[in-house]
Amino acid sequence: MQLEHLDPLPTHRDIDLLVDPTILLVSSLLQESQSQRTRHDEANRRRFARLLKNPDAIALTMSLTDEVMRMSSMRSAAKTLRKVSVTASPVGLGIWDFLGLKLISVVS
């Protein structure tokens, strides 16, 4: 089945005049927010980017939030935590989060 070519909906000219000023405003707000980032903010951004680049770390995070955190039984949550923490690696999580997860899984 082929789709018919649809003409774009007309817009009001007044709205069209807002495009360039809006782009300039967004650009200046992004630059201002960039200049206010702290070292801590940058570290968090790097840690989050590292997590997103590692499919195993994403799967682990989803298991922790979708399974462990939602369980009403502490015993079941601890058992599942120990099971999923086996897949953890410092590559996706970073060394401190990795060690923390390993420690909490032992304590659980």
Side-chain angles (χ1 to χ4, degrees), residues 62-102:
M62 291 182 69
S63 292
L64 290 171
T65 56
D66 289 346
E67 296 176 46
V68 176
M69 297 300 289
R70 295 180 186 210
M71 292 184 167
S72 57
S73 164
M74 299 241 314
R75 185 175 300 230
S76 296
K79 183 179 177 181
T80 304
L81 172 65
R82 287 189 297 272
K83 184 179 85 174
V84 300
S85 69
V86 172
T87 65
S89 82
V91 174
L93 295 178
I95 190 68
W96 295 115
D97 291 334
F98 168 76
L99 291 174
L101 183 59
K102 291 298 184 175

Side-chain angles (χ1 to χ4, degrees), residues 5-100:
H5 172 71
L6 299 175
D7 291 327
L9 296 173
T11 61
H12 295 284
R13 289 312 241 177
D14 295 344
I15 293 173
D16 293 343
L17 296 175
L18 294 175
V19 171
D20 290 334
T22 303
I23 291 172
L24 287 173
L25 176 61
V26 168
S27 177
S28 70
L29 290 172
L30 287 171
Q31 287 175 352
E32 183 179 341
S33 68
Q34 175 93 16
S35 69
Q36 294 181 14
R37 282 194 190 129
T38 64
R39 281 184 24 193
H40 181 70
D41 295 332
E42 290 296 331
N44 281 338
R45 289 171 63 88
R46 284 191 303 275
R47 184 170 56 215
F48 189 64
R50 182 179 55 234
L51 175 80
L52 292 177
K53 290 178 185 176
N54 188 303
D56 293 334
I58 293 172
L60 172 66
T61 303
M62 291 182 69
S63 292
L64 290 171
T65 56
D66 289 346
E67 296 176 46
V68 176
M69 297 300 289
R70 295 180 186 210
M71 292 184 167
S72 57
S73 164
M74 299 241 314
R75 185 175 300 230
S76 296
K79 183 179 177 181
T80 304
L81 172 65
R82 287 189 297 272
K83 184 179 85 174
V84 300
S85 69
V86 172
T87 65
S89 82
V91 174
L93 295 178
I95 190 68
W96 295 115
D97 291 334
F98 168 76
L99 291 174

